[in-house]
Amino acid sequence: MAMAPGSRCCLLLLLLLLLAVLGAPALGDPGPLEDVVIDRYYIPKICLREAQMGDFIRYHYNGTFKDGKKFDSSYDRGATVAGVVGVGRLITGMDRGLQGMCVNERRHLIVPPHLGYGSIGVAGLIPPDATLYFDVVMLDIWNKNDKLQITTLSKPERCNRTVENSDFVRYHYNGTLLDGTPFDSSYSKGSTYDTYVGTGWLIKGMDQGLLGMCAGEKRSIIIPPFLAYGEKGYGTVIPPQASLVFSVLLVDFHNPKDGVFLEHLEVPETCKRRAVTGDFVRYHYNGTLMDGTLFDSSDKGVWEEAGKGSSISPHPPLPGDKIPGSAVLIFDVHIIDFHNPADPVEIETVFRPEGCNVTSRHRDFVRYHYNCSLLDGTRLFSSHDYEKPQEVTLGASKVIEGLNSGLLDMCAGERRVLIVPPHLGHGESGARGVPGSAVLRFEVELISMEEGVPEGYLFIWHGEPPANLYEQMDLDKDGEIPAEEFSTFIKSQVAEGKGRLMPSSDPEKVIADMFQNQDRNQDGKITPEELKLKSDEDQEKIHEEL
């Protein structure tokens, strides 16, 4: 008998209801699980390795039943779980569920009874035939065959030397566990970590990880537990069997056997002399630590140092926060000049005319051109900036002693280079435009010279003076000699070659000074009683002068 379509629909619904009441499997229920169910609900973007069979792992977990009731938790115990995966030390479901995990990966695992604790369960904790639910986060993975993992993050272009065993190093670091949990940092302490390498003061992994580093280099160093703190860990900050990750910046290093290292970046081609012990040096410098941190500079003025044997020399104490203990110091030094207190004037003849028979002597009046500079080439003065050459009487203390010495024994037209040390120049105090203790370089050219007169003389006779000098000088024979008459007589003696005036650019002033010396009562005329030769006054017989 056929059934109406509506009756068939009602019959099907009644059948399904009956099956549900009797406990028959519902439509779509797969029945008991055959394998662990894995839900990778968080996978980190960077996964350097996955847990493989035989790897040592550390992880946290929460274990619950289907209804959410917790039966176990590593968080509640305050310690991670460490063990070897895939070798039967864990329940089979956990062993399978952990394999292939990355550090910081999170998984939900559903472990059926036959892959968990089976029909026996765990007395008082897990009932028989219980399906277990785990929320797991992987924290660490390593293997006994692992080696130190070193990644160079940055490295300076210039690296003259790298760290070796027995070196003393200063470095900054950030230390984390493999999952990124920080445990220590030198930066937070405000100072570098300072120690020797390869002497047992560091964990083995750090000892090895620092080798070969340049000052200023940055590295990431991943250290497996057996090269770190191993099974014991370290206090409460580093768990047992923890891999460590260090981000290291090497600030500087040295060896106790090191001497001063000198690097000549620029040596002038004209270098004829080098500083030695006992020399007085003037130099500019920048002082930095090996990482480039500037701690001092001579930009506030040229530094001066006496009695040192090198261009690198100790400096006055600086604030303690600028130079850390055990710091290697780098000085970038520019030597301005140096000299020795016993140095004479250095004279180099650049050009000397042929057939030179007459040379400049003490008390000669000379005209010369010059350029004056510091030894580093800094220009100071030049006679070419003026309309005419420089004029001076040698030995009259009108120029610095070194220049005076350098102008002696020159021919007209001769050119010289003079190096004048400060004790023969402007000394420690310097002068306007000349730094203190500066060595000076002169380029000089002698233009002309006039024979001079002895010191203290304004006029000398070429032969014997006239026996009746006053009568010859008194041109109008009135018994007195005024200034005009005196001047006329002296000029005539010079014109006739019988005597000569002290060389000067102003002969009239020289004659006026002579007259004033003889006009002893300053009444504007010279009497016979006033007129005396200089030889009569100082009893010197070499020269005779009015």
Side-chain angles (χ1 to χ4, degrees), residues 128-309:
D129 298 316
T131 299
L132 306 179
Y133 294 76
F134 291 95
D135 186 359
V136 181
V137 57
M138 184 63 67
L139 301 177
D140 201 340
I141 305 169
W142 60 280
N143 191 286
K144 62 182 180 180
N145 294 321
D146 283 349
K147 296 181 180 180
L148 202 66
Q149 298 181 48
I150 299 175
T151 303
T152 299
L153 305 178
S154 66
K155 190 172 184 178
E157 293 183 2
R158 296 184 61 194
C159 180
N160 297 324
R161 174 181 167 186
T162 59
V163 173
E164 300 176 358
N165 280 322
S166 79
D167 282 346
F168 188 90
V169 295
R170 297 175 55 247
Y171 62 94
H172 271 302
Y173 68 90
N174 287 316
T176 66
L177 304 180
L178 202 58
D179 66 343
T181 302
F183 63 82
D184 196 14
S185 173
S186 65
Y187 294 98
S188 63
K189 299 172 184 176
S191 63
T192 55
Y193 191 80
D194 306 344
T195 187
Y196 286 94
V197 175
T199 58
W201 289 20
L202 296 167
I203 57 174
K204 290 183 179 179
M206 184 61 84
D207 252 347
Q208 297 174 19
L210 292 170
L211 292 175
M213 287 191 77
C214 304
E217 181 176 344
K218 292 182 180 179
R219 282 183 178 181
S220 172
I221 304 173
I222 301 178
I223 304 176
F226 55 85
L227 294 177
Y229 294 97
E231 298 180 356
K232 295 182 180 180
Y234 188 81
T236 59
V237 293
I238 299 179
Q241 302 289 27
S243 300
L244 306 182
V245 180
F246 287 94
S247 177
V248 176
L249 167 63
L250 184 62
V251 176
D252 71 30
F253 66 97
H254 71 280
N255 194 284
K257 297 179 181 179
D258 286 347
V260 176
F261 174 75
L262 299 177
E263 181 179 6
H264 300 283
L265 301 180
E266 181 178 346
V267 180
E269 294 181 0
T270 58
C271 180
K272 297 180 179 179
R273 170 181 169 183
R274 296 178 182 269
V276 297
T277 299
D279 282 349
F280 188 97
V281 295
R282 296 173 59 248
Y283 58 97
H284 273 301
Y285 71 93
N286 287 318
T288 63
L289 305 180
M290 284 191 78
D291 65 354
T293 302
L294 181 71
F295 63 80
D296 195 19
S297 175
S298 63
D299 56 8
K300 54 185 173 292
V302 176
W303 189 263
E304 301 177 357
E305 194 75 32
K308 305 303 177 186

Side-chain angles (χ1 to χ4, degrees), residues 17-36:
L17 181 62
L18 180 61
L19 290 172
V21 171
L22 293 175
L27 187 64
D29 188 340
L33 296 174
E34 294 183 0
D35 200 355
V36 61

Side-chain angles (χ1 to χ4, degrees), residues 515-523 525-526 529-534 537 546:
F515 180 81
Q516 187 175 9
N517 290 341
Q518 295 299 318
D519 182 14
R520 303 179 189 278
N521 60 7
Q522 304 299 305
D523 63 354
K525 58 183 182 295
I526 301 173
E529 292 76 19
E530 291 176 317
L531 183 64
K532 293 181 182 180
L533 296 175
K534 183 171 176 56
E537 297 178 342
L546 288 178

Side-chain angles (χ1 to χ4, degrees), residues 278-282 302-307 337 339-341 374 400 420-440:
D279 282 349
F280 188 97
V281 295
R282 296 173 59 248
V302 176
W303 189 263
E304 301 177 357
E305 194 75 32
D337 63 38
H339 71 281
N340 192 285
L374 302 179
I400 58 174
V420 180
H423 54 274
L424 299 176
H426 293 284
E428 296 182 4
S429 301
R432 185 175 181 180
V434 179
S437 300
V439 179
L440 302 180

Side-chain angles (χ1 to χ4, degrees), residues 307-323:
K308 305 303 177 186
S310 168
S311 59
I312 299 178
S313 55
H315 293 74
L318 294 167
D321 59 346
K322 288 192 174 183
I323 301 182

Side-chain angles (χ1 to χ4, degrees), residues 318-364:
L318 294 167
D321 59 346
K322 288 192 174 183
I323 301 182
S326 300
V328 177
L329 307 183
I330 298 177
F331 290 96
D332 184 1
V333 179
H334 175 206
I335 294 291
I336 304 300
D337 63 38
F338 63 90
H339 71 281
N340 192 285
D343 283 348
V345 176
E346 294 182 30
I347 300 175
E348 177 186 358
T349 299
V350 178
F351 172 75
R352 188 178 180 96
E354 294 183 3
C356 173
N357 298 317
V358 179
T359 60
S360 55
R361 297 181 298 173
H362 183 65
R363 303 302 300 176
D364 281 355

